[in-house]
Amino acid sequence: MASDMRPPNSKKGGVPSHARVSDQACHDKFQSCDGDGKPSRAAVNGVSVKENHGTCSSNPDHAGAVLVDGAKGSIAQSGHVDSADYDCAGCLHGENGSPMACDLQQESDRDQAGHTLDDLFFFDDEEEDDIDWEPSARIVENRWFCTNCTMPNMDEVTHCQNCNDHKGSEVLAGYDVFQASFAQAALISADTALPPGSTAIGFDEQMLLHSEVEIKPNPHPERPNRLRAIAASLAAAGIFPSKCALVPPREITKKELLMVHTSDHVESVEQTKNMLYSYFTSDTYANKESARAAKLAAGLCADLASLIVSGRVNNGFALVRPPGHHAGVKQAMGFCLHNNAAVAALAAQKAGAKKVLIVDWDVHHGNGTQEIFEGNKSVLYISLHRHEDGNFYPGTGAAHEVGVLDGQGFSVNIPWSCGGVGDDDYIFAFQHVVLPIAAEFAPDITIVSAGFDAARGDPLGCCDVTPAGYSQMTSMLTTCSEGRLLIILEGGYNLRSISSSATEVVKVLLGDGPCYGKGAAAPSKEGMQTVLQVLEIQQQYWPVLVPILASLQAQQGLALSKYVNGGSKLKRRMLSGGPRPVWWKWGSKRLLYEVLFEGRGPRKIKLRGNWKSTDETES
């Protein structure tokens, strides 16, 4: 299945091994969970979809890329793209000879099964069986989609069965108020005098123009309303823009992007501005505004990092999209186009930071960020994510993935083995893995890939982290790098969850304390097993973990010993001939006891290595 995720402008199967998703992982990120908190999917033409749970489905009736006016052709009513530069397959080629878009009619004639840019670049001549795939059959009448979490519900239901939000949800109420105040907010300039300890926020409404154009049976979870909901929540709390410095928007330059991505990748994203809509993978869309939105997101993150390292502001929050942590050296995937955290890390180093810590608490592993820095010991990458032995998207991020060459030990993965992971597990992992390693690494700036899809109620993450949990994790990270902290929005698809969580995080940046204290967390059994596994692997790279592992193992051994000793206490008393259980002295069980342990004739039992008769033990 790794070949399904290959990046544009690369040969089939050419994704490096460290960038490939697991064969067991689902094809795309667009999946919801069943009742037990684990992903549920059904394969349709090689694309995993979720039946009747609001996941995105591939539609072979649509092309993967449609040119708009101003490109080398224009859309005709018949669906043809007029151009003279076609090859025998009907594909239009760019300057570098790579196909940019296919004629809609000829693609239909070829019975293409997929509609992604991958399929257009590397289509297989073998016909696929489409008898179980009928787009019209998947469209269910008389249903509504939850504004809060995008999950489908039948018309007779008034509250969403996933998040319990009302059918007429007002989760976006207040964004108009935010727009009015945002329009009058002053932007930071080179000569702006900022008070000490200032918090900066990066946001631009042009990033809202990045959206899925193609009409699908279900709405895409990575949607513009994510930014609107967070902005409205920050405005309602009186935080933004009134209490924060506003960073002026800037498109990242090609030179800056080439420090992270290949030229082919940068060019493939840039070419989407000539298309009405396009797809890099079945779940990673683009429209003609997406390239600019992605450059704005990366530019804001880079400038925030520079401001923090220079000392002009203390910390910052990047309210940006599209997200970035799945975007690798040469591939866009998992809703991500450019890797914002990686761009910010290199901008921080250019501004003077020698060592950068990236903490990724998105529920999905940031395979792109890990790939970019896995051989770089000046950037420490720590990720907490669902993994489930490679069965959770993207399938990478096992505990044994520690980096390569000089970067060994500078990739730290904390892979949860199941869904439902909550505050205590995350806090416990922070206390015993994240913070000790961070303290030994001593970064000059800490960047957080802050996906809020591990939040309670998220339709894709299916975990249980609360706004208070995110607040406490942020507060704990302020102890690193002397408070120089940059939070970058990644995933999160329940609007109420992401808006309340992001608001609590920004409150901590502004100096408020966490929602609750930093007491000892009690992890789940699965959480404890994951932390022990990580400590055993990482202790060879980080000596500070050796006593922590020994202490936890001793605690585990003591707890196990108490359990075993308590469970076998009665049996030992019986075999040793000690005093009989009082509660067996009367009733029918007394007879059974006497038959088993006080039968006629001497019986021999072993006590402390010596064989004795029962007559001797009772004398």
Side-chain angles (χ1 to χ4, degrees):
M1 198 166 289
S3 62
D4 292 333
M5 306 301 292
R6 59 187 177 276
N9 298 330
S10 66
K11 295 184 179 180
K12 187 173 182 178
V15 183
S17 59
H18 54 259
R20 291 175 183 163
V21 298
S22 166
D23 289 340
Q24 288 80 31
C26 55
H27 173 80
D28 57 26
K29 182 176 175 180
F30 206 170
Q31 60 179 16
S32 60
C33 297
D34 55 21
D36 62 2
K38 292 187 178 181
S40 177
R41 56 191 184 272
V44 178
N45 285 344
V47 178
S48 298
V49 298
K50 177 75 168 65
E51 295 289 346
N52 297 327
H53 279 268
T55 59
C56 183
S57 56
S58 295
N59 191 337
D61 288 15
H62 293 277
V66 179
L67 296 178
V68 297
D69 293 336
K72 292 185 178 180
S74 60
I75 300 175
Q77 291 184 354
S78 63
H80 292 280
V81 180
D82 299 325
S83 176
D85 189 15
Y86 285 102
D87 63 8
C88 60
C91 291
L92 179 63
H93 287 258
E95 295 178 359
N96 60 358
S98 61
M100 298 309 303
C102 284
D103 179 272
L104 300 183
Q105 186 62 43
Q106 293 195 26
E107 182 190 53
S108 176
D109 293 341
R110 293 176 58 89
D111 291 328
Q112 288 278 74
H115 70 299
T116 68
L117 288 179
D118 294 348
D119 297 321
L120 294 176
F121 289 177
F122 307 101
F123 40 80
D124 192 337
D125 288 333
E126 295 181 5
E127 291 187 358
E128 295 186 17
D129 186 5
D130 284 0
I131 59 175
D132 61 344
W133 169 245
E134 183 60 43
S136 60
R138 300 182 59 81
I139 300 177
V140 180
E141 300 294 335
N142 302 319
R143 66 175 181 173
W144 58 277
F145 293 97
C146 179
T147 302
N148 182 53
C149 70
T150 73
M151 291 292 100
N153 298 272
M154 301 307 294
D155 267 352
E156 58 269 20
V157 178
T158 59
H159 288 78
C160 177
Q161 294 178 315
N162 176 66
C163 67
N164 203 39
D165 209 42
H166 193 269
K167 185 176 182 179
S169 173
E170 296 183 355
V171 64
L172 298 174
Y175 183 71
D176 292 343
V177 176
F178 163 78
Q179 279 184 302
S181 57
F182 179 73
Q184 301 176 1
L187 301 175
I188 297 177
S189 63
D191 56 353
T192 302
L194 296 172
S198 295
T199 296
I201 288 187
F203 173 75
D204 190 86
E205 287 193 303
Q206 293 182 78
M207 291 181 291
L208 301 176
L209 299 177
H210 169 66
S211 62
E212 187 172 41
V213 173
E214 183 183 7
I215 298 176
K216 296 288 188 69
N218 304 301
H220 200 290
E222 206 297 284
R223 57 210 190 276
N225 282 345
R226 297 174 62 241
L227 296 194
R228 293 189 181 102
I230 295 174
S233 178
L234 293 174
I239 293 175
F240 179 57
S242 58
K243 293 184 179 180
C244 301
L246 185 60
V247 177
R250 175 182 73 88
E251 293 184 25
I252 198 78
T253 65
K254 183 176 181 179
K255 181 180 179 181
E256 290 172 291
L257 286 177
L258 290 176
M259 296 174 66
V260 174
H261 301 290
T262 64
S263 58
D264 282 347
H265 170 82
V266 174
E267 183 62 23
S268 66
V269 175
E270 189 66 20
Q271 286 296 333
T272 62
K273 67 183 182 182
N274 298 323
M275 306 175 191
L276 181 62
Y277 65 85
S278 52
Y279 285 83
F280 290 94
T281 67
S282 60
D283 63 355
T284 306
Y285 64 81
N287 64 20
K288 61 181 181 179
E289 305 292 344
S290 298
R292 186 178 188 187
K295 288 189 291 185
L296 283 169
L300 285 167
C301 291
D303 290 351
L304 280 166
S306 299
L307 285 169
I308 294 170
V309 172
S310 67
R312 293 200 65 203
V313 299
N314 189 46
N315 50 50
F317 181 76
L319 183 55
V320 297
R321 59 182 294 274
H325 72 149
H326 291 306
V329 174
K330 57 180 182 180
Q331 79 271 8
M333 59 182 285
F335 311 166
C336 302
L337 302 186
H338 296 317
N339 197 305
N340 302 320
V343 169
L346 295 183
Q349 291 185 327
K350 185 178 180 180
K354 294 182 179 179
K355 294 188 288 186
V356 178
L357 167 63
I358 300 178
V359 176
D360 189 336
W361 69 44
D362 189 283
V363 78
H364 302 93
H365 178 242
N367 57 299
T369 309
Q370 177 174 296
E371 177 196 357
I372 291 166
F373 294 116
E374 64 181 351
N376 187 341
K377 63 181 181 181
S378 70
V379 178
L380 170 62
Y381 176 69
I382 304 179
S383 177
L384 306 92
H385 52 272
R386 281 181 67 179
H387 184 254
E388 302 172 26
D389 295 324
N391 288 299
F392 195 78
Y393 184 90
T396 54
H400 61 77
E401 296 177 24
V402 298
V404 298
L405 302 176
D406 291 341
Q408 288 190 51
F410 292 90
S411 292
V412 180
N413 287 298
I414 304 174
W416 305 124
S417 60
C418 60
V421 182
D423 292 354
D424 284 346
D425 290 307
Y426 275 83
I427 300 305
F428 185 80
F430 263 60
Q431 292 170 336
H432 294 86
V433 180
V434 178
L435 294 184
I437 292 179
E440 187 167 336
F441 180 65
D444 298 306
I445 182 175
T446 300
I447 297 172
V448 181
S449 279
F452 295 109
D453 41 7
R456 180 178 297 170
D458 190 273
L460 271 64
C462 303
C463 286
D464 199 38
V465 181
T466 67
Y470 286 115
S471 170
Q472 186 168 352
M473 286 190 285
T474 305
S475 179
M476 296 169 82
L477 289 175
T478 58
T479 62
C480 306
S481 57
E482 299 179 351
R484 291 185 290 271
L485 185 61
L486 171 58
I487 311 292
I488 298 176
L489 180 65
E490 296 286 358
Y493 311 102
N494 179 312
L495 300 187
R496 293 194 185 277
S497 295
I498 64 172
S499 57
S500 57
S501 298
T503 299
E504 292 303 323
V505 165
V506 176
K507 285 181 179 179
V508 173
L509 296 181
L510 288 168
D512 292 355
C515 294
Y516 56 81
K518 300 179 182 178
S524 63
K525 178 182 177 181
E526 294 80 7
M528 173 64 81
Q529 291 173 343
T530 297
V531 169
L532 289 174
Q533 178 192 21
V534 174
L535 290 172
E536 288 177 355
I537 293 172
Q538 291 289 341
Q539 64 175 333
Q540 62 179 308
Y541 307 107
W542 304 97
V544 69
L545 301 180
V546 174
I548 297 175
L549 175 61
S551 175
L552 289 181
Q553 287 176 330
Q555 294 175 25
Q556 287 292 97
L558 181 61
L560 181 61
S561 176
K562 287 182 178 179
Y563 175 79
V564 172
N565 291 341
S568 60
K569 183 178 180 181
L570 176 60
K571 183 176 181 180
R572 292 200 307 272
R573 286 175 57 190
M574 291 176 178
L575 294 177
S576 64
R580 278 52 168 183
V582 174
W583 40 275
W584 270 12
K585 286 187 177 180
W586 296 275
S588 61
K589 292 183 179 179
R590 179 180 178 183
L591 177 61
L592 177 62
Y593 178 84
E594 291 177 349
V595 170
L596 293 176
F597 296 96
E598 297 180 351
R600 296 179 181 179
R603 292 193 305 111
K604 292 184 178 181
I605 59 176
K606 188 176 183 180
L607 290 177
R608 298 180 182 177
N610 297 319
W611 287 96
K612 294 184 178 181
S613 69
T614 53
D615 293 339
E616 292 174 349
T617 58
E618 292 183 8
S619 61

